[in-house]
Amino acid sequence: MARSISYREALNEALAQEMERDPSVIVMGEDNAGGAGAPGESDAWGGVLGVTKGLHPRFPGRVLDTPISESAFIGAAIGAATRGLRPVAELMFIDFMGVCFDQIFNQAAKFRYMFGGKAVTPVVIRAMYGAGLRAAAQHSQAMYPAFTAVPGLKVVLPSSPYEAKGLMIQAIRDDDPVIFCEHKAMYDVVGEVPAESYTIPFGEAGIVREGEDVTVVALGRMVSVASDAAAELAASGVDCEVIDPRTTSPLDAGTILESVARTGRLVVVDEASPRCGMAADIAALVAREEFGALRAPIGAVTPPHTPVPFSPALEDLYMPDAGRVVAAVKSAVDWKP
Amino acid sequence: MARSISYREALNEALAQEMERDPSVIVMGEDNAGGAGAPGESDAWGGVLGVTKGLHPRFPGRVLDTPISESAFIGAAIGAATRGLRPVAELMFIDFMGVCFDQIFNQAAKFRYMFGGKAVTPVVIRAMYGAGLRAAAQHSQAMYPAFTAVPGLKVVLPSSPYEAKGLMIQAIRDDDPVIFCEHKAMYDVVGEVPAESYTIPFGEAGIVREGEDVTVVALGRMVSVASDAAAELAASGVDCEVIDPRTTSPLDAGTILESVARTGRLVVVDEASPRCGMAADIAALVAREEFGALRAPIGAVTPPHTPVPFSPALEDLYMPDAGRVVAAVKSAVDWKP
Amino acid sequence: MTDTLRTPRAPREHGLDGPALLDAYRTMRTIRDFEERLHEEFATGDIPGFVHLYAGEEASATGVCAHLDDGRDVIASTHRGHGHCIAKHVDVKSMMAEIYGRTTGACHGKGGSMHIADLSKGMLGANGIVGGGPPLICGAALAAKVRGDGGVGVAFFGDGGSNQGTTLESLNLASVWQLPAVFVAENNGYAEATSAEWSVGGGSIAARAAAFGMPGVSVDGFDFFAVHEAAGAAIDRARAGGGPTLIEVRLTRYYGHFEGDQQKYRADEVRHARAELDCVKRFRQQVAGTLADAQLDAIDAQVARLIDEAVSEARAAPLPTGADLETDVYISYL
Amino acid sequence: MTDTLRTPRAPREHGLDGPALLDAYRTMRTIRDFEERLHEEFATGDIPGFVHLYAGEEASATGVCAHLDDGRDVIASTHRGHGHCIAKHVDVKSMMAEIYGRTTGACHGKGGSMHIADLSKGMLGANGIVGGGPPLICGAALAAKVRGDGGVGVAFFGDGGSNQGTTLESLNLASVWQLPAVFVAENNGYAEATSAEWSVGGGSIAARAAAFGMPGVSVDGFDFFAVHEAAGAAIDRARAGGGPTLIEVRLTRYYGHFEGDQQKYRADEVRHARAELDCVKRFRQQVAGTLADAQLDAIDAQVARLIDEAVSEARAAPLPTGADLETDVYISYL
Ligand SMILES: Cc1ncc(C[n+]2csc(CCOP(=O)(O)OP(=O)(O)O)c2C)c(N)n1
Ligand SMILES: Cc1ncc(C[n+]2csc(CCOP(=O)(O)OP(=O)(O)O)c2C)c(N)n1
Ligand SMILES: [Mg+2]
Ligand SMILES: [Mg+2]
């Protein structure tokens, strides 16, 4: 697998390969077909993210533009899924969930349970999340904890181009509704990606780095931040195990607990707001299930409880960085009862 | 304070007293004025919850019915708040947040920060939450963790008629946006409530029962469940401290940590879904800040990761009850490393 | 709202033969009896949760669904969903059992009145969220269009639901995508206790169609044939690729918003509708020349028995147990 | 969209005196220069984040806001908000500093281009959410109505925003509550790269007004006087208790959706609009009989200087520091 492509290209390739393989896969979203209805607009954009570029001419009638009506078209993707299609709908910024959350958490997520096990809703909702592009408070959030909390949804956070492709193909083939969270600062990140189709199963964490002293669980873009910190810590003799859960729902509790059972220390690195977020969720899991192994307080590296600030000077302080991870790991290692 | 009234009456009295005191307080929601526009409808209902009953005739022009357009009227309450009114808007069931969440978390919550500290948005959004009335998956949820996660919002969960009145008056006078969560199974609960106006400050937990062996933090309706469990446990010699945080944001971390520092054990009892919920949030706080005092795994008593089932036979199993709290406390007490 | 004729007029050329008319009557009668019986059963205290009755509105669900296939056509309903379910051929006994929270229920007791569904019949669910259905129906219609199977999607919603942004967006999306969809606004004059005359800006739901570039019509919902005709035209057009339609059906609910609502705010109106406008009575008058009373009475008797059995079987059916609590959240998880 | 006159016609009786005309010109010129300069500055790479330029649309913000007071009247804007801010008298230097993320910015550098606000001027913020503003403006208008101070609320949104449920709901709410509100749909033909001809079912935003029971008009947005007249009528009616109005303003954006969009999909259209329809040029022609060129040229020079200063002062201003990160989330917390 010598070939390297970007996170954006990996997603585009996953979509194209699945559309090729399965005629029930359709794609929709604002400008996903590149603007519609006016001359010369076909494929002008491939979504604002460029992820769907090139699909419209290749799969006529299966890549749809939408009006700016997220409730209607996300709901339509869900409704179509109940009728045998496998729609991949782009919400664009995950921050826009506020205008269509009902269709996701009260409809798609609950059909199977409410209807006594008789509904199948294989919809994928793609959305970009995260800070770092100076996009300010309404375009930079990491809202996945709100989705993770909802029984019936699966939530995916790919941390590299390789993960992006394999998890997207899994998401499309999965029969449950999936929220697929792409980090907006990673679209141009390049990495090795097999050309052929492959899947990465949900609920299986990746062990990014093995280590014996401290377990560091990091999500999405924070995986590379944690890896940088681990490299720095290795130089000063602290051996971190870095775990990427890949999906927050289902969460691979086994891998995390087994690691903490060995290391006795846990630091969670997450880009979501600190309250009721993934850092809390994973800390609680470990404090409940692996308390006996713990030798230090559970560290959390998250942004503060504030909206995402615009000014680069503030946003850089807002985002967790390797320095803060190093400090948290060190304080776990140095902790004395 | 010998007078006893219901949770519903306590809320109604709080609204009436504040409307009397401050002409900028207005009330709105579906059927809040009792149905509008047709003869004989005035005050026919006082909202589906009956909480606003009687206010419409008493405060002409200040109690408004709305169409079923939650984004528009919750947004209107927020917009009016930025212009000096103190609107109390009823979302009815908190489950309906999905059709108007944007106005709450991207608008109201962020104005002050995004606008550099220059906005004041004293809006109160009332909503009923919780299971137990066989209202099924879309009318029984405990969505407050999703609000607690949002920087800029305050979140209130009154656990008794006394709390309901004092916290509501505080919510109305508070200058920040407040999400006020009323448990639908508590409206008819009766308790002692002073007739005069009073406030209960946000971020100050109530200590419902003092104890030395285990700290039990319980929220909203779970406070009475935890109290029942504590009484039962006392009979078998286990002395619980029961803490009611009253507000999840701000959260009174001090009271919780101080208690765990004494007891060394924590069980959190919460009605929200288990993932990324308050049970996780409070467990993480303690595992980070008071690890040294902990002598047992942190217990959580929550519903399972499922939608709320309709059938009474299932809903009763879904809801945390005193029996499960007793078991969790006992396993904390009995835990051996 | 009550500008309808007091004396039955002959239905226009409706092209319905005897069996079709009997079918329509059976559906309306079944809905009526189901709801009237629920009203009694609710009073016993044995029915859990919230129940919203459709009695009085039978001609709407029946007139629309008479045109639909179980296989390729899909409907989405509301909190007031029993009538739509019955008209779309959801098994009546499974509905009753569901309302009683039993394992024999359409949803294994997990859904209840507000969430009865049967996807195998193209019934995408009652819905607890006002405005929840129309977006979903855009999707069902889209699936039919992508597959080219001639299927249509029909979204039912109320006058209150016509003010929900999700509904309004869906009208636009269906128009823009030229979907084979029909939007049926059942205007019964109230959303809870709030009057539609007040809440529907502009006063006409049907007129909103034009705002989104689709035809809109308003029909008398006490008249099965009027609904049937309007729905037939809309559904035919949708099947033929002619895009969506909005139909406003003017009617009345006989009971309160939900069981428990005394609805003192509209007692006179209900008395009048029951006495003068009732769609079932009127249907009998309208078909008097075509069908014999005995045929209709026989259906009445069959339906009465069905509902009796449905209640007694539901009451006797098992409740779900702990083993059911955590199943069917996902198809596969961990 | 481009059916407008190529030769300037005399504005109808507009009742604007010399100072008012000069004011309008200054506003339009300030917006234009602000945006053209941002386009250049953005290319240097020194401006962070997303910037959506309003150039080409000046007559809309200016024609509407000319009728508004800073004190009692409120506007809500969109992601494309600079023009509305300037027309509502937000300090230009504080805007530029905000866009550069400085402490001297209107929002202390915390908001950026998409969130410039000045509540003391009745400017309730640009908004990053399409359809975010209309509900808020219902509230501002409600506050004015409750207080009886004669104030109005004005919501600006785009053709894309006219399809958002929040916007459609707000039209209905404003109608039902008879609010002193004006909804200004700036139809520039595109939402990102999606054409309004395709996305607006029915084809006319103005026609949607009728669906909610309010007057709707469509005006030529290249013509300041046309906008001014329509807005004046709507705002007067609102102040007098006559309820809301929807105004569709047809115009064009000169730059891409945001800085970085090459907009090859509409290059010809932009060339045509700049050459033939430009609202600033046209205004100069329209007032040629009333104002001397020298007066207008003097304003050009003053504005050019203001924008120069705004940029150099913004570039020199301090960035926020760690001490600012956690302030102003709440008024009081713990
Ligand atoms: C989003 C949302 N808002 C409010 C409600 C509460 N609610 C349930 S039914 C109803 C009235 C609906 O009125 P209408 O659409 O006219 O239907 P009808 O009850 O008359 O059949 C309301 C307000 C809800 N279920 N969902
Ligand atoms: C709810 C929501 N959906 C999508 C977007 C992304 N978005 C930002 S601007 C825009 C296009 C808006 O078009 P229009 O309303 O016509 O305004 P214009 O840009 O033409 O001024 C889109 C899709 C958003 N910000 N918010
Ligand atoms: Mg109704
Ligand atoms: Mg536009």
Side-chain angles (χ1 to χ4, degrees), chain A residues 31 35-38 41 45 48 65-70 92 96 133-136 138-139 304-307 309-314 317, chain D residues 48-50 98-99 101 109-112 114-115 127-129 163-164 190-195 198 261 265 320-322 326 330 333:
Chain A
D31 306 290
E41 286 174 10
W45 287 25
V48 74
D65 278 339
T66 70
I68 307 177
S69 309
E70 283 83 2
M92 199 182 300
F96 306 160
L133 292 197
R134 290 65 171 104
Q138 293 175 339
H139 285 74
H305 183 64
T306 76
F310 163 66
S311 183
L314 293 178
L317 296 170
Chain D
F50 295 105
E98 187 58 36
I99 291 167
K110 284 173 166 171
M114 263 193 292
H115 306 297
N127 208 307
I129 304 298
N163 297 321
Q164 184 63 271
Y190 290 86
E192 296 185 356
T194 297
S195 105
W198 178 81
D261 172 17
Y265 51 92
T321 66
E326 300 190 38
Y330 297 91
Y333 202 53

Coordinates of all heavy atoms in Angstrom, one line a residue, chain A residues 31 35-38 41 45 48 65-70 92 96 133-136 138-139 304-307 309-314 317, chain D residues 48-50 98-99 101 109-112 114-115 127-129 163-164 190-195 198 261 265 320-322 326 330 333:
Chain A
D31 N -24.9 21.6 -2.7 CA -23.9 21.7 -3.8 C -23.1 20.4 -4.0 O -22.0 20.4 -4.5 CB -22.8 22.8 -3.4 CG -23.5 24.1 -3.2 OD1 -24.0 24.7 -4.2 OD2 -23.6 24.6 -2.1
G35 N -24.0 22.4 -7.5 CA -24.9 23.5 -8.0 C -25.8 22.9 -9.1 O -25.3 22.2 -9.9
A36 N -27.1 23.2 -9.0 CA -28.0 22.6 -9.9 C -28.8 23.6 -10.6 O -29.0 24.7 -10.1 CB -28.9 21.6 -9.2
G37 N -29.3 23.3 -11.7 CA -30.3 24.1 -12.4 C -29.8 25.3 -13.2 O -30.6 25.8 -14.0
A38 N -28.6 25.6 -13.1 CA -28.1 26.7 -14.0 C -27.0 26.2 -14.9 O -26.3 25.3 -14.5 CB -27.6 27.8 -13.1
E41 N -23.1 24.6 -14.1 CA -22.9 24.4 -12.7 C -22.6 23.0 -12.3 O -22.1 22.7 -11.3 CB -24.1 24.9 -11.9 CG -24.2 26.4 -11.8 CD -25.5 26.8 -11.1 OE1 -26.1 26.0 -10.5 OE2 -25.7 28.0 -11.2
W45 N -19.0 22.6 -7.8 CA -18.5 22.3 -6.5 C -18.7 20.8 -6.2 O -19.6 20.2 -6.9 CB -19.2 23.1 -5.4 CG -18.9 24.5 -5.3 CD1 -18.4 25.3 -6.3 CD2 -19.0 25.3 -4.1 NE1 -18.2 26.6 -5.8 CE2 -18.6 26.6 -4.5 CE3 -19.5 25.1 -2.8 CZ2 -18.6 27.7 -3.6 CZ3 -19.5 26.2 -1.9 CH2 -19.1 27.4 -2.3
V48 N -19.2 21.8 -0.3 CA -18.3 22.9 0.1 C -17.0 22.3 0.5 O -15.9 22.9 0.5 CB -18.9 23.8 1.2 CG1 -18.9 23.0 2.5 CG2 -18.2 25.1 1.3
D65 N -28.2 17.6 -5.5 CA -28.1 18.9 -4.8 C -29.4 19.0 -3.9 O -30.4 18.4 -4.2 CB -28.0 20.1 -5.7 CG -26.6 20.3 -6.2 OD1 -25.7 19.9 -5.6 OD2 -26.5 20.9 -7.3
T66 N -29.3 19.9 -2.9 CA -30.5 20.1 -2.1 C -30.6 21.6 -1.8 O -29.6 22.4 -1.9 CB -30.3 19.5 -0.7 OG1 -29.3 20.2 0.0 CG2 -29.9 18.0 -0.8
P67 N -31.8 22.1 -1.6 CA -31.9 23.5 -1.0 C -31.3 23.5 0.4 O -31.0 22.4 1.0 CB -33.5 23.7 -1.0 CG -34.1 22.5 -1.7 CD -33.1 21.4 -1.7
I68 N -31.2 24.7 1.0 CA -30.7 24.8 2.3 C -31.9 24.5 3.3 O -32.5 25.4 3.8 CB -30.1 26.2 2.6 CG1 -29.1 26.5 1.5 CG2 -29.5 26.2 4.0 CD1 -28.4 27.8 1.7
S69 N -32.2 23.3 3.5 CA -33.4 22.8 4.2 C -32.9 21.5 4.9 O -33.3 20.4 4.4 CB -34.5 22.5 3.2 OG -34.7 23.6 2.3
E70 N -32.1 21.6 5.9 CA -31.5 20.4 6.4 C -32.5 19.4 7.0 O -32.3 18.2 6.9 CB -30.5 20.8 7.5 CG -29.1 21.3 6.9 CD -29.2 22.8 6.6 OE1 -30.2 23.4 6.8 OE2 -28.1 23.3 6.1
M92 N -22.8 19.1 6.0 CA -21.7 20.1 5.9 C -21.1 20.3 7.2 O -20.3 19.5 7.7 CB -22.3 21.4 5.3 CG -21.3 22.3 4.7 SD -21.9 23.9 4.1 CE -23.0 23.4 2.8
F96 N -24.5 22.5 12.2 CA -25.8 22.8 11.6 C -26.8 21.8 12.1 O -28.0 21.8 11.7 CB -25.8 22.8 10.1 CG -24.8 23.8 9.5 CD1 -24.4 23.6 8.2 CD2 -24.3 24.8 10.2 CE1 -23.5 24.5 7.6 CE2 -23.4 25.7 9.7 CZ -23.0 25.6 8.3
L133 N -9.6 26.2 12.0 CA -9.6 27.0 10.7 C -10.1 28.4 10.9 O -10.6 29.0 9.9 CB -10.4 26.2 9.6 CG -9.8 24.9 9.1 CD1 -10.5 24.5 7.8 CD2 -8.3 25.0 8.9
R134 N -10.1 28.9 12.1 CA -10.6 30.3 12.3 C -12.0 30.5 11.8 O -12.4 31.5 11.3 CB -9.7 31.3 11.7 CG -8.3 31.4 12.3 CD -7.5 30.1 12.2 NE -6.1 30.3 12.6 CZ -5.6 29.8 13.7 NH1 -6.4 29.1 14.6 NH2 -4.3 30.0 14.0
A135 N -12.8 29.4 12.0 CA -14.2 29.5 11.5 C -15.2 30.0 12.5 O -16.4 30.1 12.3 CB -14.6 28.1 10.9
A136 N -14.7 30.2 13.7 CA -15.5 30.8 14.8 C -16.5 29.9 15.4 O -16.6 28.7 15.1 CB -16.1 32.2 14.4
Q138 N -19.7 29.2 15.5 CA -20.8 28.4 14.9 C -20.3 27.5 13.7 O -21.2 26.8 13.1 CB -21.9 29.3 14.3 CG -22.6 30.1 15.4 CD -23.6 31.1 14.8 OE1 -23.5 31.5 13.6 NE2 -24.6 31.5 15.6
H139 N -19.0 27.4 13.5 CA -18.5 26.5 12.4 C -17.3 25.7 12.9 O -16.5 25.4 12.1 CB -18.1 27.4 11.2 CG -19.3 27.9 10.4 ND1 -20.1 28.9 10.8 CD2 -19.8 27.5 9.2 CE1 -21.0 29.1 9.9 NE2 -20.8 28.3 8.9
P304 N -11.5 24.5 27.0 CA -12.2 25.0 28.2 C -13.7 25.1 27.9 O -14.1 24.9 26.7 CB -11.7 26.4 28.3 CG -11.2 26.8 26.9 CD -10.7 25.6 26.3
H305 N -14.5 25.3 28.9 CA -16.0 25.4 28.7 C -16.3 26.8 28.2 O -16.8 27.7 28.9 CB -16.6 25.2 30.1 CG -18.1 25.2 30.1 ND1 -18.9 24.3 29.5 CD2 -19.0 26.1 30.7 CE1 -20.2 24.5 29.7 NE2 -20.2 25.6 30.4
T306 N -15.9 27.0 26.9 CA -16.2 28.3 26.2 C -16.6 28.0 24.8 O -16.2 26.9 24.3 CB -15.0 29.2 26.1 OG1 -14.1 28.7 25.1 CG2 -14.2 29.3 27.5
P307 N -17.3 28.9 24.1 CA -17.5 28.7 22.7 C -16.1 28.8 22.0 O -15.1 29.2 22.6 CB -18.3 29.9 22.3 CG -19.1 30.3 23.5 CD -18.1 30.0 24.6
P309 N -13.4 30.5 20.1 CA -13.1 31.9 19.7 C -12.6 32.0 18.3 O -12.0 31.1 17.7 CB -12.0 32.3 20.7 CG -11.3 31.0 21.0 CD -12.4 29.9 20.9
F310 N -12.8 33.2 17.7 CA -12.4 33.4 16.3 C -10.9 33.7 16.2 O -10.2 33.1 15.4 CB -13.2 34.6 15.7 CG -12.6 35.1 14.5 CD1 -12.5 34.4 13.3 CD2 -12.0 36.4 14.5 CE1 -11.9 34.9 12.2 CE2 -11.4 36.9 13.3 CZ -11.4 36.1 12.2
S311 N -10.5 34.7 17.0 CA -9.1 35.1 16.8 C -8.1 34.0 16.9 O -8.1 33.2 17.8 CB -8.7 36.2 17.8 OG -7.5 36.7 17.6
P312 N -7.2 33.9 15.9 CA -6.2 32.8 15.9 C -5.4 32.8 17.2 O -5.1 31.7 17.7 CB -5.3 33.2 14.7 CG -6.1 33.9 13.8 CD -7.1 34.7 14.6
A313 N -5.2 34.0 17.8 CA -4.5 34.1 19.0 C -5.2 33.3 20.1 O -4.6 32.7 21.0 CB -4.3 35.5 19.4
L314 N -6.5 33.3 20.1 CA -7.3 32.6 21.1 C -7.6 31.2 20.7 O -7.6 30.3 21.5 CB -8.7 33.3 21.3 CG -8.6 34.7 22.0 CD1 -10.0 35.3 22.1 CD2 -7.9 34.7 23.3
L317 N -5.0 28.8 21.7 CA -5.0 28.5 23.1 C -6.2 27.6 23.4 O -6.1 26.8 24.4 CB -5.1 29.8 23.9 CG -4.0 30.7 23.8 CD1 -4.3 32.1 24.5 CD2 -2.7 30.1 24.4
Chain D
P48 N -7.8 35.9 8.7 CA -8.1 34.5 9.1 C -9.6 34.1 8.7 O -10.4 35.0 8.7 CB -7.9 34.4 10.6 CG -7.8 35.8 11.1 CD -7.8 36.8 9.9
G49 N -9.9 32.9 8.6 CA -11.2 32.4 8.5 C -12.0 32.6 7.2 O -11.4 32.8 6.2
F50 N -13.3 32.6 7.3 CA -14.2 32.7 6.2 C -14.7 34.1 6.0 O -15.2 34.7 7.0 CB -15.4 31.7 6.3 CG -15.0 30.3 6.4 CD1 -15.0 29.6 7.6 CD2 -14.7 29.6 5.2 CE1 -14.7 28.2 7.6 CE2 -14.3 28.3 5.2 CZ -14.3 27.6 6.4
E98 N -12.2 43.6 13.9 CA -12.8 42.3 14.2 C -12.4 41.2 13.2 O -12.0 40.1 13.6 CB -14.3 42.4 14.3 CG -15.0 41.2 14.8 CD -14.6 40.8 16.2 OE1 -14.3 41.7 17.0 OE2 -14.5 39.6 16.5
I99 N -12.4 41.6 12.0 CA -12.1 40.7 10.9 C -10.7 40.2 11.0 O -10.3 39.1 10.6 CB -12.5 41.3 9.5 CG1 -14.0 41.5 9.4 CG2 -11.9 40.5 8.4 CD1 -14.5 42.3 8.3
G101 N -9.3 39.9 13.9 CA -9.2 39.2 15.1 C -8.5 39.9 16.3 O -7.8 39.3 17.1
G109 N -12.4 40.5 19.0 CA -11.7 39.5 18.2 C -12.3 38.1 18.4 O -11.8 37.1 17.9
K110 N -13.4 38.0 19.2 CA -13.9 36.7 19.5 C -14.9 36.2 18.4 O -15.2 35.0 18.4 CB -14.6 36.6 20.8 CG -13.6 36.6 22.0 CD -14.2 36.7 23.3 CE -13.3 36.3 24.4 NZ -13.8 36.7 25.8
G111 N -15.4 37.1 17.6 CA -16.5 36.8 16.7 C -16.0 36.6 15.3 O -16.3 35.6 14.6
G112 N -15.3 37.6 14.8 CA -14.8 37.5 13.4 C -15.9 37.9 12.4 O -17.0 38.3 12.8
M114 N -18.1 36.6 10.5 CA -19.4 36.0 10.6 C -20.2 36.3 11.8 O -21.4 35.9 11.9 CB -19.3 34.5 10.4 CG -19.5 34.0 9.0 SD -19.8 32.2 8.8 CE -18.2 31.6 9.3
H115 N -19.6 37.1 12.7 CA -20.4 37.3 14.0 C -20.3 38.8 14.4 O -20.4 39.0 15.6 CB -19.9 36.4 15.1 CG -20.0 35.0 14.7 ND1 -21.2 34.4 14.3 CD2 -19.1 34.0 14.4 CE1 -21.0 33.1 14.0 NE2 -19.7 32.9 14.0
N127 N -24.6 36.2 11.1 CA -25.0 35.0 11.6 C -24.5 33.8 10.8 O -24.6 33.9 9.5 CB -26.6 34.8 11.7 CG -27.0 33.9 12.8 OD1 -26.6 32.8 12.9 ND2 -27.9 34.4 13.7
G128 N -23.8 32.9 11.4 CA -23.2 31.8 10.6 C -24.2 30.7 10.2 O -23.9 29.8 9.5
I129 N -25.4 30.8 10.7 CA -26.4 29.8 10.5 C -27.4 30.4 9.5 O -28.1 31.4 9.8 CB -27.1 29.4 11.8 CG1 -26.1 28.9 12.8 CG2 -28.2 28.3 11.5 CD1 -25.3 27.7 12.3
N163 N -35.3 29.1 1.9 CA -35.8 27.7 1.9 C -35.6 27.0 3.3 O -35.9 25.8 3.5 CB -35.0 26.9 0.9 CG -35.3 27.4 -0.5 OD1 -36.4 27.8 -0.8 ND2 -34.3 27.5 -1.3
Q164 N -35.1 27.8 4.2 CA -34.8 27.2 5.6 C -36.1 27.3 6.4 O -36.8 28.3 6.4 CB -33.7 28.0 6.2 CG -33.2 27.5 7.6 CD -32.6 26.1 7.5 OE1 -33.3 25.2 7.7 NE2 -31.3 26.1 7.3
Y190 N -27.9 32.9 -6.1 CA -27.1 31.7 -5.7 C -27.1 31.5 -4.2 O -27.0 32.5 -3.5 CB -25.7 31.8 -6.2 CG -25.6 31.6 -7.7 CD1 -25.7 32.8 -8.5 CD2 -25.4 30.4 -8.3 CE1 -25.7 32.7 -9.9 CE2 -25.4 30.3 -9.7 CZ -25.5 31.4 -10.5 OH -25.5 31.3 -11.9
A191 N -27.0 30.2 -3.8 CA -26.7 29.8 -2.5 C -25.4 29.0 -2.7 O -25.5 27.9 -3.2 CB -27.8 29.1 -1.8
E192 N -24.3 29.5 -2.3 CA -23.0 28.9 -2.7 C -23.0 28.8 -4.2 O -23.2 29.8 -4.9 CB -22.8 27.5 -2.0 CG -22.6 27.7 -0.4 CD -22.3 26.4 0.3 OE1 -22.2 25.3 -0.3 OE2 -22.1 26.5 1.5
A193 N -23.0 27.5 -4.7 CA -23.0 27.4 -6.2 C -24.4 27.0 -6.7 O -24.5 26.7 -7.9 CB -21.9 26.4 -6.6
T194 N -25.4 26.9 -5.8 CA -26.7 26.4 -6.2 C -27.6 27.6 -6.6 O -27.8 28.5 -5.9 CB -27.3 25.6 -5.1 OG1 -26.5 24.5 -4.8 CG2 -28.7 25.2 -5.4
S195 N -28.2 27.4 -7.8 CA -29.0 28.6 -8.3 C -30.3 28.7 -7.7 O -31.0 27.7 -7.4 CB -29.1 28.4 -9.9 OG -30.4 28.0 -10.2
W198 N -33.4 27.2 -9.3 CA -33.6 25.7 -9.1 C -34.1 25.5 -7.6 O -35.1 24.8 -7.4 CB -32.3 25.0 -9.3 CG -32.4 23.5 -9.0 CD1 -32.9 22.5 -9.8 CD2 -32.1 22.8 -7.7 NE1 -32.9 21.3 -9.2 CE2 -32.4 21.5 -7.9 CE3 -31.6 23.3 -6.5 CZ2 -32.2 20.5 -6.9 CZ3 -31.4 22.3 -5.5 CH2 -31.7 21.0 -5.7
D261 N -13.6 31.1 -3.4 CA -14.4 30.5 -4.5 C -14.1 31.3 -5.8 O -14.3 32.5 -5.9 CB -15.9 30.7 -4.1 CG -16.9 30.3 -5.2 OD1 -16.5 29.6 -6.1 OD2 -18.1 30.7 -5.0
Y265 N -18.5 29.4 -12.4 CA -19.9 29.0 -12.8 C -20.7 30.3 -13.1 O -21.9 30.1 -13.6 CB -20.6 28.2 -11.7 CG -20.5 28.7 -10.3 CD1 -21.5 29.6 -9.8 CD2 -19.4 28.5 -9.5 CE1 -21.4 30.1 -8.6 CE2 -19.4 29.0 -8.2 CZ -20.4 29.8 -7.7 OH -20.3 30.3 -6.5
P320 N -5.9 39.4 21.1 CA -6.3 39.0 22.5 C -5.3 38.0 23.0 O -4.5 37.4 22.3 CB -7.7 38.3 22.3 CG -7.8 38.1 20.8 CD -6.9 39.0 20.1
T321 N -5.4 37.8 24.3 CA -4.4 36.9 25.0 C -5.1 35.9 25.8 O -6.4 35.9 26.0 CB -3.5 37.8 25.9 OG1 -4.3 38.3 27.0 CG2 -2.8 38.9 25.2
G322 N -4.4 35.1 26.5 CA -4.9 34.0 27.3 C -5.9 34.5 28.3 O -6.9 33.8 28.6
E326 N -11.4 32.8 28.5 CA -12.5 32.3 29.3 C -13.4 33.3 29.8 O -14.3 33.0 30.6 CB -12.0 31.3 30.3 CG -11.2 30.1 29.7 CD -10.9 29.0 30.7 OE1 -11.8 28.7 31.6 OE2 -9.8 28.5 30.7
Y330 N -20.4 33.7 30.3 CA -21.6 34.0 31.1 C -21.4 35.4 31.7 O -20.3 36.0 31.8 CB -21.7 33.0 32.3 CG -21.9 31.6 31.9 CD1 -20.8 30.8 31.7 CD2 -23.2 31.1 31.7 CE1 -21.0 29.4 31.3 CE2 -23.4 29.8 31.3 CZ -22.3 29.0 31.1 OH -22.5 27.7 30.7
Y333 N -21.2 33.2 36.8 CA -21.3 31.8 36.8 C -20.9 31.2 38.2 O -21.7 31.3 39.1 CB -20.3 31.2 35.7 CG -20.7 29.8 35.2 CD1 -21.9 29.5 34.8 CD2 -19.6 28.9 35.1 CE1 -22.2 28.2 34.3 CE2 -19.9 27.6 34.7 CZ -21.2 27.2 34.3 OH -21.5 26.0 33.8

